[in-house]
Amino acid sequence: MMEQYQIIRIKTHEGLTRFANSTIHQNVVKDETESAVLYVVDKKKAVLDSTGTEPDLKVAREIALNSEVNPDFVSLPDADEAGQPEFKGSFSKDAAQASPEVRARLVKEILALCTDKGLQAAGYLTTGSRERNIENSLGVKREDRTSFSELGITATGAGTGYATATHYDLDHIDVKEIAREAVETALQNVNQDTIEPGKYRVLLEPLAVHELFDFMAWLGFSGRLYDENQSCFSGMLNKEITSPLLTFTDEPIQELPGFGIDIEGVARRRTLLVEKGIFKNVTYDSYSAHMVNKKSTGNAFSFVVPWGGLPLSINVAAGKTDIADMLHEIKKGLLIKRFWYTRPVDRKSGILTGMTRDGTFLVTDGKIDRPVKNLRFQISLPEILKKIRMVGNTLRLYESGRFPHLLVDDFAITGMTG
Amino acid sequence: MDARLKLALDAVPKGVRYADIRLVEWEREDIYIKDGKVETVTRTLDSGIGVRCISRGAWGFAATSDSSKDAIGAAVHSAVDVARASSIAKIKDVELSDKEAASGVYAVEVKKDPFKVSVDEKINYLLQCDKQLRAVKGVSISECWIQSWLERKCYADTEGSDTEQNFTGIQCGVRASALNDNDLQARTYPSFRGQGAHGGYELVEELGLLGHCERVGEEAVMLLNAPECPKETTDLVFTPAVLGIFIHETVGHPTELDRVFGTEANYAGTSHLVPEKLNTFRFGSDLVTLVADATVPHGLGSFWYDDEGVPAQRTELVKDGIFVGYLTSRETAKVLNQRSSGTMRAQRWCHIPLIRMTNINLEPRQGTFDDVMSTTDGYLFDGFKSCSIDDRRLNFNLAADIAWRVKNGKKLHVIKNPVVSGISYEFWRNVDFVGGKESWALYGLLNCGKGRPGQIMKVGHGAPPIRIRNVTLGV
């Protein structure tokens, strides 16, 4: 009888302070200890999630025995497949132990910066830490920890502006700079004009790029979806899928919260996804990798997801162009700060719709002309990635990676807010 | 009262103006089958205590998964410390609207306890469904699932409330996907992530998943070869399965009073339904009456008391087309000199309660599905695929799984990727048919997202079929 199991223990301390209308309206602290076991008996799989550090292996085994054989299951990762982590989760005591008072004082500073400009502020500041302890019956034993801090600010007056930053270390969140950025956009984003639907050349700021890449990671780079012909890039490995200006990897990024191992204990590594436009690799967890005689790429993030391993932090290579030069290339087009409520309308074709939010500007003859109302877009991700004309030379860190500005042609605007 | 609640209440320091304690215990079982193989069986056991308080006029909240006396005491004191920290950046003291103390023990009526139906029996049933889906030529991916849960929620507060509510629930569904190199089309029954409801395993049996598998598979395959959605102005009929999501996005979220007051401005957004529009703004046609009803049997948005100990209620949001009400909490209702409409809920013990939809329902009027079909020259939308809407809940884009061209009561042919967009209230104003009681159906969703840290919530949406005139179809 073949039996294998894996245990993961997670300990979280999280504090989050939310503010709006220039006051703190929500302030929470959580301490949680949880564990999960994946138990496999003769290819019958079960997961037991529970509160506390010691999962009940007997119960997990019993559930597995009552399940059915899954012939696709080969094995949990062994020590060889798990590899030696080259990256250790980034950790800062300041972020891990920041008190509610520390957060409240920073928030007070933010509120003052916004009210000084006649604006209201809404947002959140979160800090905390997470520890992972993983072991499996094949000898993999790993532990890691990370800390996190993230700030988001919406400045609101006659218009709105948004800015956000994330880092493992609270000291690296420049509260004043983030507030300044949100305020500046809010002050510019007034008396919004309307524009006609159509295809525009657009300069996407890194926050907007971040959202498109999040969807691309899911729709395009899951090894399992790729192998099942469900990816919008299925069949395109080693072919050109984006502009040759684009190169990006999935890899741990030192400045971001994160672990050196995935949830199966497999070492996170650098996986080249696209090199100068050529599709190089997809990402796997062990289950989906073994189905096609491959090894995990260290991208497992859940025991039970129908799309397998996904890129966990994307690192886009900086381009050569600065923002002013990118703007200069726009005769009549748009500057888009961020997207909102982006959704796939057609997964296989990679067609997305969504709205712009908190700052969309008409650009005329290379200069920011005037703000426009929030716009609805509908684009084909594979098509738009091929229409990238320039990649910015500065990168911004967000939750799921590091992203540049992109100058893109034929970005389809289909409507606008009321 | 549960001993742990009492421990927590006893630990609340003197001078704390208000505190409430929630003890929540979950047991959940998820069975998911893909392409005839059990991907896994997952059992989740989750428990902990959340403490919310007002001290120095500001909110604090702390939660712990440790149920020891020391940990509970520490959580109470942590919540108080958090509140005192919040007061550093307060403008005015938090004020709550009045309520009566709540009490009692309550439980969802269950005919067949889902945890007493063996995993084996559930898997066998799903495997039969899966086989039926894959028996349809052209089906590439088959998926079937059953989720069962039991949630025990105990609540007490410093105003004398002491309640225990026990929720048993089910969510299940089947999905067929047809795939070629350029396209993927899927159909799901009963709704896009299945059907969720409070009740026992009898709900799975009543839904009869197996009996729908062949149709679901055939429609997925049919979609693969169907023409694309045209771009035109036309009339649409929405089935309740599509309409539920539309109600969710265009009625439920914009009537959450915390959004209206700006506390979600940084994340989920605000709302165009500002208080100045109350009782005057024409939101829909005369046929449109929408309610928040937390008392509907089996509804996923049904309960006895919300997470502030306020009784479940039925509240009108839109009456005969006019916007008349909000989903409120004790704090937000006070601003409008009202009492809470009882909509505060938290996903888990470690989450703070937020204003959440209950069951947001379109009230039935008159007429059958056949009535509306026989008088429509347009399209019938069924099965929700995706919805996107702006941060004030005005510009929406709704995609359905499938649409049929309909005329004279007949389905002429299928179109794929049906999508409709517009401004939410203009859409509701163009409603000229709302079906009767016999065509009304309630759907349950498990995953309404809101707040930071992010929470998902169980909500319900009931509606009959409707017709909307002069709609922009396609992109």
Side-chain angles (χ1 to χ4, degrees):
Chain A
M1 186 178 275
M2 184 271 263
E3 291 201 24
Q4 295 182 355
Y5 65 83
Q6 188 213 309
I7 301 171
I8 177 166
R9 301 178 181 88
I10 302 169
K11 200 172 168 187
T12 306
H13 172 75
E14 181 179 6
L16 188 139
T17 303
R18 272 186 116 189
F19 49 98
N21 303 315
S22 296
T23 188
I24 290 174
H25 67 92
Q26 179 188 314
N27 207 350
V28 301
V29 171
K30 171 181 92 165
D31 283 292
E32 181 171 17
T33 307
E34 57 191 318
S35 60
V37 196
L38 169 62
Y39 209 106
V40 190
V41 188
D42 282 343
K43 299 195 175 219
K44 296 177 177 180
K45 292 164 65 186
V47 174
L48 176 66
D49 285 319
S50 46
T51 305
T53 52
E54 288 315 313
D56 194 328
L57 286 173
K58 274 187 190 166
V59 172
R61 185 177 186 275
E62 200 177 309
I63 301 168
L65 282 169
N66 282 316
S67 184
E68 286 289 323
V69 168
N70 182 333
D72 288 338
F73 178 82
V74 177
S75 172
L76 294 174
D78 60 16
D80 181 49
E81 183 174 7
Q84 282 303 322
E86 292 169 11
F87 171 84
K88 199 166 167 44
S90 302
F91 187 84
S92 138
K93 232 181 183 178
D94 286 346
Q97 297 177 359
S99 68
E101 191 174 332
V102 166
R103 288 194 302 277
R105 294 206 180 279
L106 287 171
V107 166
K108 196 173 181 184
E109 202 177 322
I110 293 162
L111 300 179
L113 288 165
C114 292
T115 48
D116 281 355
K117 300 287 182 184
L119 301 172
Q120 297 271 9
Y124 66 98
L125 174 60
T126 184
T127 55
S129 64
R130 197 163 284 126
E131 295 171 26
R132 264 184 192 173
N133 175 306
I134 294 168
E135 63 179 272
N136 77 18
S137 56
L138 301 180
V140 174
K141 199 168 166 60
R142 300 270 182 268
E143 57 183 28
D144 203 0
R145 66 176 182 171
T146 188
S147 58
F148 53 87
S149 51
E150 187 169 293
L151 171 66
I153 303 173
T154 302
T156 310
T160 60
Y162 178 86
T164 180
T166 185
H167 203 281
Y168 78 90
D169 188 356
L170 182 58
D171 285 346
H172 282 80
I173 301 278
D174 188 339
V175 169
K176 283 185 185 158
E177 177 54 25
I178 300 302
R180 188 204 58 74
E181 195 181 335
V183 165
E184 188 179 285
T185 304
L187 293 175
Q188 288 173 349
N189 188 18
V190 293
N191 301 321
Q192 296 161 349
D193 210 341
T194 58
I195 61 163
E196 289 299 314
K199 289 188 173 177
Y200 289 83
R201 176 172 287 186
V202 298
L203 178 57
L204 300 176
E205 290 210 344
L207 190 56
V209 173
H210 159 250
E211 182 144 336
L212 292 187
F213 271 68
D214 277 2
F215 278 93
M216 183 176 66
W218 170 40
L219 301 178
F221 287 89
S222 147
R224 185 167 187 189
L225 295 187
Y226 182 90
D227 295 329
E228 290 177 345
N229 200 22
Q230 290 197 65
S231 157
C232 62
F233 299 128
S234 283
M236 298 291 285
L237 266 173
N238 297 314
K239 293 181 183 162
E240 188 174 279
I241 58 166
T242 76
S243 149
L245 297 171
L246 214 51
T247 292
F248 54 94
T249 57
D250 171 67
E251 62 184 306
I253 295 173
Q254 194 72 49
E255 298 94 322
L256 286 178
F259 297 99
I261 46 175
D262 72 2
I263 68 145
E264 296 184 308
V266 177
R268 295 272 295 121
R269 63 200 68 177
R270 183 177 185 275
T271 301
L272 183 60
L273 300 174
V274 166
E275 185 177 38
K276 293 180 181 170
I278 306 297
F279 187 10
K280 291 294 187 184
N281 286 292
V282 289
T283 56
Y284 288 103
D285 57 9
S286 71
Y287 175 63
S288 58
H290 297 168
M291 281 162 78
V292 288
N293 289 320
K294 290 184 177 169
K295 285 190 174 181
S296 168
T297 55
N299 289 81
F301 68 98
S302 164
F303 287 146
V304 198
V305 283
W307 44 81
L310 292 180
L312 299 173
S313 54
I314 287 181
N315 197 11
V316 183
K320 292 179 178 165
T321 321
D322 64 38
I323 301 163
D325 288 343
M326 293 171 103
L327 270 176
H328 189 71
E329 290 296 310
I330 304 177
K331 190 166 169 51
K332 188 191 174 194
L334 297 165
L335 168 68
I336 295 173
K337 295 267 182 188
R338 69 181 291 219
F339 294 124
W340 165 248
Y341 224 131
T342 304
R343 290 289 180 272
V345 180
D346 180 350
R347 276 202 297 140
K348 173 71 177 159
S349 306
I351 294 175
L352 303 176
T353 188
M355 296 294 298
T356 64
R357 182 174 173 182
D358 300 322
T360 308
F361 297 90
L362 189 67
V363 179
T364 309
D365 295 329
K367 291 200 172 107
I368 295 175
D369 188 345
R370 57 189 184 272
V372 293
K373 287 187 170 192
N374 290 336
L375 303 172
R376 175 161 296 287
F377 66 90
Q378 178 153 324
I379 56 165
S380 155
L381 204 44
E383 282 176 22
I384 219 72
L385 290 168
K386 286 193 169 172
K387 303 231 167 166
I388 294 169
R389 289 181 59 90
M390 288 178 168
V391 178
N393 59 6
T394 53
L395 300 169
R396 287 286 294 262
L397 273 176
Y398 295 113
E399 195 184 353
S400 60
R402 189 153 35 204
F403 304 95
H405 286 72
L406 292 178
L407 185 69
V408 176
D409 275 347
D410 295 334
F411 196 90
I413 300 300
T414 58
M416 74 179 70
T417 190
Chain B
M1 182 183 293
D2 187 286
R4 289 164 289 182
L5 285 187
K6 186 157 186 335
L7 264 177
L9 272 184
D10 289 347
V12 175
K14 280 182 185 163
V16 169
R17 198 178 95 205
Y18 169 84
D20 59 40
I21 323 285
R22 259 180 316 114
L23 163 72
V24 187
E25 295 170 327
W26 272 90
E27 181 171 4
R28 204 177 75 203
E29 178 191 85
D30 288 274
I31 301 174
Y32 173 65
I33 286 174
K34 184 178 175 187
D35 296 339
K37 289 162 250 180
V38 181
E39 289 264 321
T40 197
V41 179
T42 303
R43 181 71 67 93
T44 305
L45 305 166
D46 180 39
S47 64
I49 286 185
V51 181
R52 192 175 69 141
C53 70
I54 301 172
S55 184
R56 293 190 189 161
W59 283 115
F61 178 84
T64 177
S65 58
D66 185 342
S67 59
S68 68
K69 185 180 174 184
D70 287 351
I72 291 170
V76 172
H77 288 282
S78 175
V80 175
D81 287 345
V82 172
R84 289 174 182 170
S86 302
S87 71
I88 291 171
K90 85 172 178 195
I91 294 174
K92 56 178 184 162
D93 285 1
V94 172
E95 290 185 68
L96 302 179
S97 58
D98 292 337
K99 64 151 186 152
E100 278 76 49
S103 64
V105 178
Y106 307 88
V108 166
E109 192 183 328
V110 172
K111 290 181 189 150
K112 203 167 178 180
D113 182 348
F115 289 93
K116 288 190 176 150
V117 177
S118 70
V119 169
D120 201 35
E121 183 180 333
K122 290 170 191 156
I123 288 177
N124 281 336
Y125 181 62
L126 293 178
L127 284 173
Q128 280 181 59
C129 293
D130 185 275
K131 198 173 170 186
Q132 197 86 357
L133 289 171
R134 284 184 299 128
V136 177
K137 197 179 168 194
V139 168
S140 312
I141 298 163
S142 52
E143 295 166 278
C144 311
W145 62 93
I146 297 176
Q147 182 184 107
S148 320
W149 69 86
L150 177 62
E151 179 191 13
R152 176 173 177 256
K153 187 189 287 183
C154 301
Y155 172 90
D157 62 37
T158 50
E159 296 177 351
S161 290
D162 172 18
T163 61
E164 176 182 330
Q165 301 178 83
N166 295 280
F167 301 95
T168 305
I170 287 283
Q171 200 243 19
C172 60
V174 294
R175 180 183 299 124
S177 300
L179 188 59
N180 62 26
D181 282 346
N182 306 310
D183 199 4
L184 185 158
Q185 294 291 331
R187 281 290 278 150
T188 307
Y189 172 80
S191 185
F192 81 117
R193 283 182 180 158
Q195 166 67 312
H198 280 143
Y201 194 73
E202 66 275 7
L203 297 172
V204 178
E205 296 170 342
E206 285 162 16
L207 284 168
L209 302 180
L210 190 56
H212 288 268
C213 289
E214 189 178 348
R215 174 186 60 81
V216 164
E218 284 172 354
E219 287 178 357
V221 175
M222 203 192 303
L223 278 165
L224 203 58
N225 303 307
E228 282 284 344
C229 176
K231 185 168 172 59
E232 63 180 86
T233 301
T234 184
D235 298 340
L236 296 185
V237 175
F238 271 19
T239 63
V242 180
L243 190 52
I245 297 293
F246 191 68
I247 291 171
H248 183 97
E249 301 289 13
T250 63
V251 182
H253 280 307
T255 54
E256 295 163 347
L257 194 52
D258 53 351
R259 282 184 75 111
V260 175
F261 287 161
T263 52
E264 288 287 334
N266 175 256
Y267 181 53
T270 57
S271 173
H272 68 104
L273 293 175
V274 293
E276 293 74 25
K277 290 183 175 176
L278 261 177
N279 301 315
T280 58
F281 181 67
R282 176 154 288 282
F283 182 86
S285 73
D286 289 345
L287 294 173
V288 175
T289 291
L290 292 142
V291 298
D293 191 348
T295 67
V296 186
H298 302 300
L300 281 188
S302 295
F303 44 82
W304 292 270
Y305 289 95
D306 77 353
D307 289 348
E308 291 191 307
V310 175
Q313 298 165 44
R314 180 184 179 279
T315 307
E316 283 177 337
L317 304 174
V318 173
K319 186 173 172 56
D320 301 332
I322 304 298
F323 161 56
V324 294
Y326 286 115
L327 307 168
T328 65
S329 61
R330 292 183 70 190
E331 185 181 8
T332 55
K334 178 80 177 173
V335 179
L336 298 183
N337 290 318
Q338 296 177 358
R339 284 168 71 115
S340 168
S341 62
T343 66
M344 288 286 272
R345 284 189 294 162
Q347 182 195 342
R348 295 172 65 211
W349 51 269
C350 56
H351 292 124
I352 199 159
L354 299 172
I355 292 178
R356 304 311 302 255
M357 290 174 224
T358 55
N359 304 293
I360 311 299
N361 303 332
L362 176 65
E363 293 288 87
R365 293 284 179 168
Q366 218 169 10
T368 65
F369 182 68
D370 287 345
D371 290 340
V372 69
M373 287 290 281
S374 64
T375 54
T376 300
D377 181 357
Y379 293 84
L380 168 69
F381 269 44
D382 188 34
F384 168 74
K385 190 194 247 178
S386 80
C387 189
S388 163
I389 191 163
D390 73 40
D391 56 314
R392 291 173 61 230
R393 302 276 148 181
L394 286 165
N395 181 305
F396 72 91
N397 176 291
L398 180 81
D401 272 355
I402 192 167
W404 286 267
R405 175 75 177 92
V406 295
K407 197 171 182 182
N408 300 326
K410 288 194 175 138
K411 291 178 176 175
L412 301 180
H413 63 84
V414 161
I415 59 165
K416 68 174 153 192
N417 301 324
V419 63
V420 59
S421 55
I423 299 298
S424 52
Y425 62 80
E426 290 174 358
F427 191 90
W428 282 107
R429 287 175 183 174
N430 285 347
V431 170
D432 81 335
F433 175 91
V434 175
K437 260 184 193 169
E438 67 287 346
S439 60
W440 193 90
L442 179 66
Y443 287 90
L445 300 175
L446 296 179
N447 63 331
C448 170
K450 188 176 175 183
R452 283 183 188 273
Q455 299 185 39
I456 55 167
M457 184 47 65
K458 305 186 300 275
V459 300
H461 299 296
I466 65 167
R467 179 173 55 212
I468 316 101
R469 297 286 194 190
N470 300 319
V471 175
T472 308
L473 183 70
V475 176

